[in-house]
Amino acid sequence: MTILIRAILIGLIIFLLVRSFVRYFAGMGESEQRDGQENKNTRSKKGVPREIGEYIDYEEIKKE
């Protein structure tokens, strides 16, 4: 009984390790493509959108 449990646990650990390595190496190519797209998006969105409005300075009013 304990041998069966050990075999299942070892198999599960090996499966999870292999799956994580496969996802890591498959994601390397996708992340390079994704980085290029994110850089283009951040460059085009610089500045304050018109919906937010303008920045207005304020003065503190001292109470007497």
Side-chain angles (χ1 to χ4, degrees), residues 25-55:
F25 289 118
M28 287 178 68
E30 294 174 5
S31 66
E32 292 172 357
Q33 293 173 354
R34 203 175 317 126
D35 289 341
Q37 292 174 354
E38 288 176 2
N39 289 339
K40 290 177 186 175
N41 291 340
T42 56
R43 289 181 191 153
S44 64
K45 293 185 179 182
K46 288 185 179 177
V48 178
R50 299 231 179 241
E51 294 125 10
I52 292 179
E54 296 179 11
Y55 178 78

Side-chain angles (χ1 to χ4, degrees), residues 15-29:
F15 170 75
L16 292 174
L17 285 173
V18 169
R19 188 177 71 168
S20 64
F21 282 120
V22 167
R23 285 185 179 180
Y24 175 74
F25 289 118
M28 287 178 68

Side-chain angles (χ1 to χ4, degrees), residues 3-18:
I3 296 173
L4 181 63
I5 293 172
R6 285 183 188 173
I8 291 172
L9 289 176
I10 291 171
L12 180 64
I13 291 171
I14 292 172
F15 170 75
L16 292 174
L17 285 173
V18 169

